[in-house]
């Protein structure tokens, strides 16, 4: 096959938007489609090589897979080696255990299946998965396990049907992608059968399935259309785009037009793509693709705050240098099958013999798998970390262990009479905590306070469901029914005296709208009119990160944990609409208002760590330790608490 520098330039046009997208540049919201361009290029080049060898009668499966190993393995396993060392130094045990699983999956080219079973590609947590980008390598290698065999059979027995069979397979794969993306977008994104049509489009180009473009004017128009298609998809698509499916046609057809238009005619676009800077970026594009995401992900693990654009730029610059070095000193020497011209001063090294290549590939894969198995078997090798770091990281598990059986949701509703109770074992609950998931840990802590007075607390919690009666949301249809039944049951419960109303107000307003506060006011008034004492619990600070992980990382770096948190002024500004809405709920002797910020915040900062414990088990839920920390604000409701009347009177 004749080398085409414009295809190297097209590789650059594919990888640059991917890198810019991963740098979180809003202008390149669709940069992820660069991977689709790579698929088309790969299908075109591989098919050209295979069919060329078949027609000359010299195709060898062993030689084909040898070339794939030389192309893929050197850079990949270099990046894996460096990333694994960084992971052992930087990652917390849970993260290292997760990384180890992906290391095993990547080493056997099954990472696309692994990530399909986890979160979606665009989910927030995906930013901290160092090997997430290897899903595309897995798709290609799975495709190339079967594709050469198919070409051999078709070329030998049905050569005239070769294009037709591949066209049918491409259409079937495309239809599967279009259907699947609306049923399970993650499956459509990651799995090989819904991506195969993109590679097959390149294959059909290589086989001449489309009419040759010989006229310069037609070629120029096709190339321009291809550039426009790529440009539109790079800047107009976003993470919200339903992708791949039909949306993947735009970048894939655009790439195909650029390849096809430059086959016989040297267009302006092909001359542009053949510029030396673009060709060079194209040559290192594979290494750049591997290095940039792995280093960005590790940097995000290391920093306590989101990466600034300056930090991101530095990381990408390092990745670019590593890519150039990797291409020159690792990829190029190991890809060469024949020695170059020898000189007296520097004789060319002999090429790796084929059996050695396969043994080397098997050895490095086995080593990577063993390292991954070790990481999984040891639970992320916790012996690396200091006990304090491990204790903070373990705070992710500092939640009410009865959540599975006591916390209701749409799938497992819990009637009022069957709700869980905390406090004195023999006591009939005179108290209830009613709310969404933010009620769960508080119920446990208040139950412990009630036990001191011989009382008990009933937990009435429903996932994502604020204590409101009318909710105009299809997602919360069962929530409204649950709340109406709960209110009726509470009013009929002659033993019940006090109800604590709790909600994640930021989420409640997003799901329900501003009317949620009116609805909660209606519930509070109904309970008060029914003779119950109501306590409205004001919102606690929320964070943009997992608090235990952030604290553990800070401790690992030797930083002062007291500096981790949220500025009080920022917190007050964020929750001001909620406070105004709750303050507006009617004044009534039977309705109290308690603000956890009285304990969680001082005048300067809201803290996430106190008395040696993380106060949250994730980004917004108080941990059991955190709920116990704010419990003194509520002790007056259970008798004479150590907090004292003066402190409680100042709660709001």
């Amino acid at each position: 096959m004749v080398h085409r520098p414009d295809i190297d330039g097209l590789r650059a046009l594919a990888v640059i938007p991917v890198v810019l997208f991963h740098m979180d540049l809003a202008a390149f919201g669709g940069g992820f489609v660069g991977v689709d361009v790579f698929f088309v290029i790969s299908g075109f080049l591989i098919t050209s090589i295979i069919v060329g060898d078949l027609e000359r009668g010299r195709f060898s499966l062993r030689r084909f897979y040898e070339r794939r190993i030389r192309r893929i393995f050197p850079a990949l396993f270099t990046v894996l080696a460096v990333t694994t060392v960084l992971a052992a130094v930087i990652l917390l045990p849970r993260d290292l255990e997760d990384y180890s699983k992906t290391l095993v999956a990547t080493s056997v080219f099954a990472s696309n299946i692994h990530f399909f079973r986890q979160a979606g590609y665009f989910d927030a947590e995906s930013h901290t998965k160092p090997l997430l980008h290897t899903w595309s390598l897995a798709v290609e290698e799975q495709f190339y396990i079967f594709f050469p065999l198919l070409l051999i059979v078709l070329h030998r027995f049905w050569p005239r049907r070769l294009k037709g069979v591949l066209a049918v397979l491409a259409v079937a794969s495309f239809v599967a992608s279009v259907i699947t993306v609306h049923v399970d977008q993650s499956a459509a994104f990651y799995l090989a059968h819904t991506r195969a049509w993109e590679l097959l489009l390149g294959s059909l180009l290589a086989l001449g399935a489309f009419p040759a473009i010989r006229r310069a004017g037609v070629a120029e128009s096709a190339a321009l259309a291809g550039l426009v298609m790529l440009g539109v998809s790079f800047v107009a698509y976003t993470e919200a785009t339903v992708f791949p499916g039909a949306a993947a046609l735009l970048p894939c057809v655009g790439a195909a037009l650029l390849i096809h238009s430059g086959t016989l005619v040297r267009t302006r676009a092909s001359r542009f793509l053949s510029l030396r800077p673009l060709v060079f970026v194209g040559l290192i594009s594979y290494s750049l693709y591997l290095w940039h995401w792995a280093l960005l992900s590790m940097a995000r693990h290391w920093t306590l705050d989101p990466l600034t654009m300056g930090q991101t730029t530095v990381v990408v610059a390092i990745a670019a240098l590593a890519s150039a070095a990797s291409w020159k000193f690792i990829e190029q020497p190991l890809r060469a099958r024949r020695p170059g011209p020898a000189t007296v001063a520097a004789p060319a090294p002999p090429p790796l013999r084929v059996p050695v290549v396969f043994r080397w590939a098997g050895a490095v894969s086995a080593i990577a798998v063993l390292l991954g198995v070790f990481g999984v078997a040891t639970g992320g090798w916790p012996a690396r970390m200091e006990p304090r770091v491990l204790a903070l990281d373990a705070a992710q598990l500092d939640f009410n262990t009865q959540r599975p059986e006591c916390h209701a949701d749409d799938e497992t509703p819990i009637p009022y009479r069957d709700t869980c109770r905390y406090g004195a074992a023999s006591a009939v609950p005179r108290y209830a905590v009613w709310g969404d998931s933010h009620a769960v840990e508080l119920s446990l802590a208040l139950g412990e306070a009630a036990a001191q007075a011989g009382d008990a607390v009933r937990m009435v919690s429903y996932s994502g469901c604020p204590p409101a009666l009318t909710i105009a949301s299809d997602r919360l249809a069962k929530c409204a029914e649950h709340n109406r039944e709960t209110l009726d049951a509470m009013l009929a419960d002659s033993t019940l005296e006090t109800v604590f109303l709790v909600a994640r107000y930021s989420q409640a307003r997003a799901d329900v709208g501003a009317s949620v506060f009116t609805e909660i006011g209606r519930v509070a008034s109904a309970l008060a009119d029914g003779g119950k004492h109501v306590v409205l619990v004001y919102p606690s600070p929320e964070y943009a990160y997992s608090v235990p992980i952030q604290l553990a990382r800070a401790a690992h770096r030797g930083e002062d944990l007291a500096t981790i948190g949220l500025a009080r002024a920022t917190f007050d500004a964020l929750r001001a609409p909620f406070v105004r809405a709750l303050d507006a709920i009617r004044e009534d002797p039977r309705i109290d208002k308690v603000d956890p910020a009285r304990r969680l915040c001082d005048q300067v900062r809201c803290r996430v760590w106190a008395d040696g414990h993380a106060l949250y088990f994730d980004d917004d839920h108080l941990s059991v330790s955190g709920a116990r920390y704010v419990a003194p604000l509520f002790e007056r409701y259970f008798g004479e608490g150590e907090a004292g009347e003066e402190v409680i009177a100042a709660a709001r």
Side-chain angles (χ1 to χ4, degrees):
M1 173 182 178
V2 178
H3 175 255
R4 287 180 54 179
D6 61 316
I7 292 183
D8 288 328
L10 184 57
R11 284 196 181 103
L13 210 61
V15 76
I16 290 172
V18 171
V19 174
L20 296 177
F21 170 72
H22 289 157
M23 292 175 68
D24 295 327
L25 287 176
F28 288 87
F32 56 88
V33 305
V35 174
D36 303 79
V37 178
F38 278 125
F39 284 157
V40 176
I41 295 172
S42 182
F44 175 78
L45 295 176
I46 292 296
T47 304
S48 299
I49 293 170
I50 294 175
V51 172
D53 284 350
L54 285 172
E55 290 177 347
R56 287 186 290 271
R58 67 178 195 179
F59 179 75
S60 163
L61 274 176
R62 189 178 75 169
R63 187 162 57 246
F64 172 79
Y65 290 120
E66 175 212 349
R67 280 195 294 239
R68 293 304 296 167
I69 290 171
R70 290 176 184 274
R71 172 71 176 124
I72 298 298
F73 276 51
L76 173 62
F77 281 92
T78 299
V79 171
L80 290 183
V82 172
T83 308
T84 300
V85 171
L86 291 175
V89 173
I90 295 174
L91 299 189
L92 299 174
R94 294 177 192 280
D95 294 325
L96 183 61
E97 183 177 3
D98 288 341
Y99 171 82
S100 298
K101 293 175 183 177
T102 65
L103 179 61
V104 172
T106 300
S107 301
V108 297
F109 295 100
S111 59
N112 62 323
I113 298 172
H114 174 77
F115 290 120
F116 157 62
R117 292 175 175 172
Q118 295 185 335
Y121 182 80
F122 300 113
D123 291 352
E125 65 239 44
S126 296
H127 276 63
T128 54
K129 295 180 179 179
L131 302 182
L132 177 69
H133 59 325
T134 63
W135 72 269
S136 63
L137 301 184
V139 167
E140 283 200 28
E141 296 316 303
Q142 290 161 18
F143 180 82
Y144 290 129
I145 289 174
F146 304 104
F147 186 63
L149 300 174
L150 176 64
L151 286 184
I152 291 172
V153 172
L154 292 175
H155 186 269
R156 180 172 181 179
F157 297 105
W158 299 286
R160 295 182 179 179
R161 298 182 180 179
L162 176 57
K163 298 175 189 176
V165 171
L166 294 188
V168 169
L169 291 175
V171 170
S173 172
F174 175 71
V175 170
S177 180
V178 171
I179 294 173
T180 306
V181 78
H182 294 287
V183 178
D184 187 341
Q185 186 175 4
S186 186
F189 192 95
Y190 284 119
L191 299 186
H193 73 282
T194 53
R195 291 288 194 163
W197 70 271
E198 303 179 23
L199 292 135
L200 288 170
L201 176 59
S203 298
L204 291 169
L205 277 177
L207 292 170
F210 304 99
I213 302 177
R214 302 180 185 279
R215 295 175 59 183
V218 176
E220 291 288 358
S221 298
L224 179 60
L227 285 174
V228 170
M229 288 180 178
L230 289 185
V232 169
S233 54
F234 290 153
V235 301
Y237 285 7
T238 69
E239 296 177 5
T241 302
V242 179
F243 195 88
L249 275 174
L250 197 63
C252 290
V253 172
L257 286 173
L258 284 168
I259 294 171
H260 195 44
S261 63
T263 300
L264 299 177
V265 179
R266 187 167 172 78
T267 64
R268 292 185 181 89
S270 63
R271 287 195 293 271
F272 167 71
L273 293 173
S274 299
L275 292 174
R276 292 184 65 182
L278 283 177
V279 169
F280 177 72
V281 174
L283 291 173
I284 69 169
S285 60
Y286 172 56
S287 286
L288 182 57
Y289 179 75
L290 291 175
W291 280 107
H292 87 280
W293 179 258
L295 295 183
L296 278 174
S297 179
M298 282 300 175
R300 289 178 177 125
H301 272 285
W302 181 246
T303 60
L304 298 183
D305 297 312
L307 293 177
T308 65
M309 184 50 61
Q311 291 171 326
T312 300
T313 302
V314 169
V315 173
V316 169
I318 293 172
L321 292 173
S323 303
S326 174
W327 174 77
K328 182 174 178 60
F329 299 112
I330 297 175
E331 287 186 70
Q332 289 298 95
L334 293 177
R335 284 179 64 184
R337 295 191 70 251
R338 297 180 180 83
T343 66
V344 174
L352 289 174
R353 292 184 296 114
V354 170
V356 175
V357 169
F358 285 101
R359 287 200 295 270
W360 172 82
V364 296
S365 298
I367 291 171
V369 169
L370 288 174
L371 287 173
V373 169
F374 172 79
V376 174
T378 59
W381 194 15
R384 300 170 296 129
M385 300 288 179
E386 296 179 1
R388 183 190 188 203
V389 175
L390 297 177
L392 289 168
D393 188 39
Q396 294 177 77
L397 301 179
D398 188 20
F399 50 75
N400 186 339
T401 57
Q402 289 187 298
R403 268 182 174 262
E405 62 264 29
C406 295
H407 181 49
D409 56 30
D410 286 347
E411 301 300 322
T412 55
I414 301 175
Y416 178 79
R417 64 180 179 277
D418 296 330
T419 51
C420 291
R421 307 167 191 187
Y422 301 96
S426 59
V428 177
R430 294 194 298 133
Y431 306 91
V433 180
W434 179 11
D436 55 18
S437 59
H438 280 220
V440 180
E441 281 63 45
L442 188 61
S443 297
L444 177 61
L446 297 190
E448 293 171 347
Q452 300 299 315
D455 285 322
V457 171
R458 185 188 295 273
M459 183 178 90
V460 186
S461 65
Y462 193 113
S463 187
C465 179
L469 297 180
T470 303
I471 299 177
S473 170
D474 292 338
R475 189 182 71 79
L476 298 175
K478 294 183 179 180
C479 161
E481 179 183 354
H482 160 81
N483 286 342
R484 287 191 291 271
E485 293 175 354
T486 297
L487 179 60
D488 290 342
M490 285 185 170
L491 292 174
D493 185 351
S494 59
T495 305
L496 181 66
E497 296 179 3
T498 302
V499 180
F500 302 91
L501 297 181
V502 185
R504 184 185 181 190
Y505 293 108
S506 59
Q507 188 63 49
R509 190 176 69 167
D511 288 340
V512 181
S515 64
V516 69
F517 298 102
T518 302
E519 289 297 313
I520 290 173
R522 285 180 58 200
V523 169
S525 296
L527 289 169
D529 292 342
K532 311 301 183 185
H533 189 185
V534 179
V535 181
L536 291 169
V537 181
Y538 277 57
S540 300
E542 297 184 16
Y543 296 87
Y545 48 78
S546 169
V547 168
I549 293 175
Q550 196 84 334
L551 288 170
R553 287 177 182 168
H556 184 42
R557 293 173 54 168
E559 298 188 5
D560 183 2
L561 300 187
T563 64
I564 309 299
L566 183 68
R568 177 62 189 262
T570 301
F571 169 57
D572 286 341
L574 288 172
R575 72 170 187 159
F578 313 139
V579 171
R580 286 195 298 269
L582 292 171
D583 283 346
I585 292 177
R586 85 181 200 195
E587 293 293 332
D588 188 294
R590 289 187 171 275
I591 299 178
D592 286 351
K593 299 168 183 178
V594 175
D595 187 359
R598 296 284 301 180
R599 291 279 290 171
L600 295 172
C601 307
D602 55 29
Q603 295 300 313
V604 177
R605 180 176 297 275
C606 296
R607 64 188 69 85
V608 294
W609 175 82
D611 302 333
H613 298 286
L615 301 180
Y616 294 76
F617 70 79
D618 59 9
D619 62 319
D620 61 271
H621 292 88
L622 290 176
S623 61
V624 171
S625 298
R628 287 169 176 159
Y629 187 75
V630 302
L633 293 172
F634 300 87
E635 286 180 349
R636 70 179 285 248
Y637 300 109
F638 305 103
E640 291 296 324
E642 61 184 44
E645 293 288 337
E646 183 178 346
V647 172
I648 297 305
R652 275 305 305 161

